[in-house]
């Protein structure tokens, strides 16, 4: 029989849903569950409830009781965790004796690198760059669309619409991309203005695949937008001193699209992510367990 | 006694309030009034009500009755008028037989140029560039902060906060400006992120005077932001062919601040605006009256 002290639980909470996985010391999944949205800034009450429900569902599947959960080693990476007090509020709501909580950037990096050192470039609706060394992890970006999120899906979509505006005003050449976006969201400028005024980051990000496809096809405006995004990523990489064995992982829905555009010497370091943010949560929970075992 | 057919009424409607002025054929003010906010896109009902109330107040001061108003020559420039149907909705709500309605960009240009040809660069919370010839007026910009409004107060404030984010991430040098803004809105990055997430265009624009002051004082980040703004304005001016007597007017709360930064050959054409958007509305109403008189 498995000792309960070897139960490791990973939790991944994001704006579209949360996932819980319970594994044993060998990484075998004992139980898993999915739940509702878990962005602590947007909705703290639902976040705590949805994660708690998913934990209990996964525990039931694994045949674990509350005593087992109390002694599990747990890490949760939750979107919208901005402070220690946010993390504590989530930890206190969960049925564990001890549970570490971070934002989901930390678990994304842990999952992608799986214990190795190097860089994670995460590009989904938002974006960030992280540099993990043996001394710790430095995060760049993650400021949101108004202040940053350069190269993110939302940023790419919005930048393409900005090219539409410039093209309409005769300040840059129109192209297939700008014509297509104007037809899709306009056709009149006021329609595009109305779209942009009310658009969420996700609404802008929905345009990003078209922008990347256009850039791949040589569209002048698509390329302009992607070149601006790449210029930012290269500045980030220039500020980072890679060691010999450091790897670069491109994560998020759009990250891998950038591989072919990056500088050859950057491309040479790129490896596929080792795992997801949920894998990262499990990895961090297990590290914590190992540390506890060493010290006990 | 003044003939009622010579009554000219100008109306200026903007997001912070509306103004009505009733003048005679010689430009003497017979009555004037101020009223509440009048942005048709934001709040069509209040816009129509606030303008109507101000019209009746100005008419009462001028001692005019409803018959006089019915025969007045009227132009209204109202913020947030995006279509012919918007303009008609406002015109129908007002107690005039005939009233032309445009957005406030048209009256801003008419007021600034006062019948001359040339360029108006309007920089307040938002921005636009207009080029008026004898054949008509071409408008550039006015796409709103998400898609454009380059060089506007909101754009300058947001761009300065973007420099703060880059400085915090070690991607550009911090400066007095970025340090001051971080102290004011932060000091922690998450405070600045929270501010930016909820900030209106006016909130960002409130930071613009600091940005321009910093640029004047040689601050590296202030200058970077202003140079980006100027690059856009110069591209707009490059697309415009000025004739010999064409003038350039810098309007809006921040427009005049850019005079000293523009190219010398641009500076040479700059003259102070002839008048305000309310003056522009009166000017357009009078032109309409003259035209009507010629044709009758």
């Amino acid at each position: 029989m498995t000792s309960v002290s070897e139960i490791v639980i990973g939790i991944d909470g994001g704006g579209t849903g949360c996932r819980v996985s319970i594994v044993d010391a060998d990484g075998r999944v004992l139980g898993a569950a999915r739940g509702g949205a878990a962005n602590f800034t947007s909705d703290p009450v639902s976040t705590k409830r949805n994660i708690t429900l998913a934990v209990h569902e996964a525990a039931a599947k694994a045949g674990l009781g509350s005593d087992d959960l109390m002694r599990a080693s747990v890490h949760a990476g939750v979107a919208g965790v901005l402070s220690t007090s946010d993390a504590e509020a989530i930890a206190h709501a969960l049925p564990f004796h001890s549970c570490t909580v971070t934002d989901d950037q930390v678990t994304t990096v842990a999952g992608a690198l799986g214990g190795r050192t190097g860089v994670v470039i995460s590009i989904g609706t938002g974006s960030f760059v992280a540099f993990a060394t043996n001394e710790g992890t430095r995060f760049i970006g993650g400021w949101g669309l108004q202040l940053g999120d350069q190269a993110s899906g939302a940023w790419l979509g919005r930048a393409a619409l900005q090219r539409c505006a410039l093209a309409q005003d005769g300040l840059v050449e129109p192209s297939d991309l700008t014509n297509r976006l104007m037809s899709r969201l306009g056709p009149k400028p006021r329609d595009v203005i109305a779209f942009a005024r009310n658009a969420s980051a996700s609404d802008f990000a929905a345009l990003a695949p078209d922008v990347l496809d256009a850039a791949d096809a040589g569209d002048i405006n698509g390329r302009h937008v992607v070149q601006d995004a790449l210029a930012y990523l290269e500045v980030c990489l220039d500020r980072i001193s890679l060691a010999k064995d450091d790897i670069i992982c491109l994560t998020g829905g759009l990250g891998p699209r950038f591989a072919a555009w990056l500088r050859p010497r950057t491309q040479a370091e790129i490896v596929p992510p080792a795992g997801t943010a949920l894998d990262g949560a499990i990895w961090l929970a297990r590290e914590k367990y190992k540390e506890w075992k060493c010290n006990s």
Side-chain angles (χ1 to χ4, degrees), chain A residues 41-55:
Chain A
T41 299
S42 312
D43 190 345
V45 174
S46 298
T47 294
K48 289 185 284 189
R49 188 186 58 229
N50 290 338
I51 292 176
T52 304
L53 287 171
V55 164

Side-chain angles (χ1 to χ4, degrees), chain A residues 108-109 111-114 120-121 247-252 256 270-276 279:
Chain A
T108 295
V109 172
L113 297 179
V120 174
I121 300 176
I247 56 174
I248 298 177
C249 291
L250 303 175
T251 63
I270 296 173
V271 302
T276 65
D279 296 322

Side-chain angles (χ1 to χ4, degrees), chain A residues 23-296:
Chain A
V23 301
D24 67 13
D26 301 320
R28 278 179 303 221
V29 177
L30 305 175
R34 286 171 180 274
N39 181 306
F40 192 75
T41 299
S42 312
D43 190 345
V45 174
S46 298
T47 294
K48 289 185 284 189
R49 188 186 58 229
N50 290 338
I51 292 176
T52 304
L53 287 171
V55 164
H56 285 300
E57 187 185 330
K61 287 182 185 170
L64 298 177
S66 54
D67 283 0
D68 304 320
L69 290 182
M70 282 300 281
R71 283 178 283 173
S73 186
V74 191
H75 185 92
V78 181
V81 168
L82 300 179
S83 64
T84 316
S85 66
D86 289 355
E88 283 170 0
I90 294 169
H92 286 150
L94 297 177
F96 308 115
H97 172 66
S98 151
C99 167
T100 49
V101 178
T102 59
D103 70 18
D104 56 343
Q105 292 187 359
V106 169
T107 45
T108 295
V109 172
L113 297 179
R116 295 184 65 178
T117 57
V119 176
V120 174
I121 300 176
S122 173
I123 304 183
T125 301
S127 70
F128 69 86
V129 175
F131 179 40
T133 67
N134 291 326
E135 281 73 50
T137 302
R138 174 184 167 197
F139 287 91
I140 299 175
W143 290 82
L145 185 57
Q146 289 301 316
L147 300 189
D149 275 17
Q150 293 91 336
S152 71
W155 186 96
L156 292 164
R158 190 185 59 182
L161 291 186
Q162 290 167 347
R163 300 295 291 181
C164 290
L166 293 171
Q168 285 282 317
D169 281 345
L171 302 181
V172 305
E173 285 297 314
S175 66
D176 282 352
L177 176 63
T178 56
N179 293 337
R180 197 161 56 239
L181 291 175
M182 286 303 293
S183 307
R184 185 166 154 192
L185 304 177
K188 295 202 173 161
R190 67 167 181 266
D191 302 323
V192 181
I193 291 171
F195 170 84
R197 188 186 289 128
N198 301 314
S200 66
S202 301
D203 293 332
F204 284 124
L207 310 175
D210 275 3
V211 180
L212 293 168
D213 289 346
D216 275 333
D219 182 278
I220 188 171
N221 287 302
R223 287 212 163 180
H224 192 283
V225 169
V226 168
Q227 289 300 337
D228 275 357
L230 284 167
Y232 172 78
L233 296 177
E234 300 286 9
V235 166
C236 292
L237 290 167
D238 284 342
R239 291 298 186 284
I240 289 166
S241 309
L242 288 181
K244 190 170 169 294
D245 291 332
D246 280 351
I247 56 174
I248 298 177
C249 291
L250 303 175
T251 63
L254 299 173
R257 293 289 304 258
F258 281 85
W261 296 89
L262 289 160
R263 288 181 296 211
R265 72 164 195 262
T266 302
Q267 287 185 32
E269 316 295 336
I270 296 173
V271 302
T276 65
L278 181 61
D279 296 322
I282 293 166
W283 192 87
L284 289 166
R286 180 172 292 128
E287 288 297 299
K288 199 173 60 165
Y289 172 68
K290 283 187 206 159
E291 203 176 303
W292 168 81
K293 216 161 121 184
C294 283
N295 295 337
S296 66

